[in-house]
Amino acid sequence: MKSMRRDNQSSVSEFLLLGLPIQPEQQGMYYALFLGMYLTTVLGNLLIILLIRLDSRLHTPIYFFLSHLALTDISFSSVTAPKMLMNMLTHTQSISYAGCISQVYFFLLFGDLDSFLLTSMAYDRYVAICHPLHYTRMMRQSLCFLLVLVSWVLSFASALLHTLLLARLSFYGDNTLHHFFCDLSALLKLSSSDTTINQLVILTVGVVVITLPFICILVSYIYIGASVLRRPSIKGLCKALSTCGSHLSVVSLYYGAIIGLYFFPSSGNTNDKDVIVSVLYTLVTPMLNPFIYSLRNRDMKGALGNILRRGTI
């Protein structure tokens, strides 16, 4: 009977994105707000990449990782924001099946890459504070390239695995997603197929790409805190805060949103909390990164001042 019902239905060729839970009369205001946020994300992170490329004093491991993080944040926001803005502007809700699957893949790719890069930066901060005399030897250029390469490979493999498992599922009947982008968990709820394997892979791979990196970051900061408290001084505390403050702020924003979204999910499909937290995760956090690293980082402010003075001359 189930097979006969499927035969009488056609597989969906597109999905409908309900978008953000905002009133129609407020669409224009929110469109301008999110467009400004997206442009700030792109321009701010491009500025970070430009400063690191132009200022030789920023050619160090931490800024090497930061440049890759800035590029990842641009890509991560670009996966969801342009489509959301286009739908708000044209008052359309549809996204093709192929476009939806592609969006899932790139969303997972750059989201996982963010996690691995933040972990690499935490290790760099651990070496800088706990082993300052051996920093140059331990954080050599070849190791930095290897950490970034491994991050890309693991992120690519994770995103590809999820996407291939998603592509094998069937979708019949309801094609409405209560979201502003193609979220993997929302798509699994719509599937007419058995998603047990998908759910199992999400739990297993999630441990590798989210939980383990988060634990590594926590362990790094435990060692950093122990090292600072072992020889307590105002100078040492200020140095640790200036060295780790920016990274710790970004980690708090990134993992705070993930914990709120995936570890405490909404009970119903139509709950708006997941959509609102996703905006924080996909738009707000990448936008704040340039401000955090610029306003709280003396080297970045110095590099920006040098570029501006050079341009004035």
Side-chain angles (χ1 to χ4, degrees):
M1 291 289 294
K2 187 175 181 181
S3 177
M4 290 175 63
R5 284 196 300 267
R6 287 190 177 186
D7 290 339
N8 293 331
Q9 294 175 319
S10 58
S11 180
V12 298
S13 60
E14 64 178 18
F15 294 95
L16 297 180
L17 300 173
L18 293 187
L20 299 167
I22 56 179
Q23 299 299 322
E25 60 272 14
Q26 298 177 325
Q27 286 275 351
M29 179 184 67
Y30 278 98
Y31 175 82
L33 174 64
F34 291 130
L35 178 61
M37 292 171 61
Y38 176 63
L39 292 178
T40 302
T41 299
V42 174
L43 296 177
N45 284 288
L46 282 177
L47 178 61
I48 285 181
I49 296 172
L50 182 65
L51 292 176
I52 293 174
R53 292 283 294 176
L54 294 180
D55 197 319
S56 58
R57 293 175 300 176
L58 300 181
H59 294 174
T60 58
I62 186 61
Y63 293 110
F64 173 74
F65 294 130
L66 178 57
S67 64
H68 282 271
L69 182 67
L71 179 62
T72 302
D73 283 338
I74 294 174
S75 305
F76 187 53
S77 290
S78 298
V79 172
T80 58
K83 180 60 178 176
M84 179 190 70
L85 292 170
M86 183 183 299
N87 287 356
M88 293 177 69
L89 184 63
T90 60
H91 302 287
T92 59
Q93 297 176 314
S94 63
I95 182 173
S96 66
Y97 175 83
C100 193
I101 298 298
S102 300
Q103 195 175 60
V104 169
Y105 170 76
F106 287 107
F107 180 84
L108 294 173
L109 171 64
F110 295 116
D112 294 345
L113 189 57
D114 250 343
S115 178
F116 288 122
L117 289 175
L118 289 174
T119 307
S120 300
M121 295 171 74
Y123 176 71
D124 176 88
R125 296 299 82 197
Y126 158 75
V127 176
I129 293 179
C130 298
H131 305 282
L133 299 180
H134 304 284
Y135 179 80
T136 304
R137 178 179 60 82
M138 295 179 67
M139 293 303 300
R140 56 193 182 277
Q141 190 178 48
S142 59
L143 177 62
C144 296
F145 278 116
L146 180 62
L147 288 174
V148 171
L149 179 62
V150 171
S151 299
W152 273 99
V153 171
L154 291 177
S155 301
F156 171 80
S158 169
L160 184 62
L161 178 60
H162 285 302
T163 307
L164 291 177
L165 290 175
L166 177 64
R168 58 180 276 277
L169 300 179
S170 300
F171 295 90
Y172 296 95
D174 187 15
N175 65 338
T176 303
L177 288 169
H178 297 274
H179 225 300
F180 64 92
F181 70 96
C182 291
D183 180 62
L184 178 60
S185 59
L187 283 169
L188 294 182
K189 293 176 183 178
L190 288 183
S191 176
S192 307
S193 306
D194 182 15
T195 61
T196 304
I197 296 178
N198 300 72
Q199 299 289 355
L200 182 61
V201 170
I202 288 175
L203 291 175
T204 305
V205 176
V207 171
V208 177
V209 301
I210 299 296
T211 307
L212 284 181
F214 183 56
I215 292 175
C216 291
I217 292 173
L218 288 180
V219 171
S220 297
Y221 276 103
I222 289 173
Y223 276 104
I224 289 172
S227 178
V228 173
L229 295 177
R230 196 176 299 125
R231 294 182 294 273
S233 67
I234 300 299
K235 183 179 179 181
L237 182 61
C238 292
K239 182 180 179 181
L241 288 175
S242 64
T243 304
C244 304
S246 300
H247 178 259
L248 194 56
S249 301
V250 173
V251 167
S252 301
L253 286 171
Y254 178 81
Y255 283 101
I258 289 179
I259 292 172
L261 185 60
Y262 295 107
F263 286 81
F264 300 99
S266 303
S267 56
N269 292 352
T270 59
N271 198 304
D272 296 333
K273 191 207 76 170
D274 289 352
V275 180
I276 296 172
V277 175
S278 295
V279 173
L280 174 67
Y281 178 44
T282 59
L283 282 175
V284 177
T285 301
M287 180 192 70
L288 292 179
N289 286 358
F291 293 100
I292 292 173
Y293 279 104
S294 299
L295 297 177
R296 301 191 60 172
N297 193 297
R298 185 173 55 189
D299 294 335
M300 292 295 294
K301 288 189 287 187
L304 180 59
N306 291 338
I307 297 297
L308 292 176
R309 284 193 295 270
R310 198 179 306 168
T312 302
I313 294 174

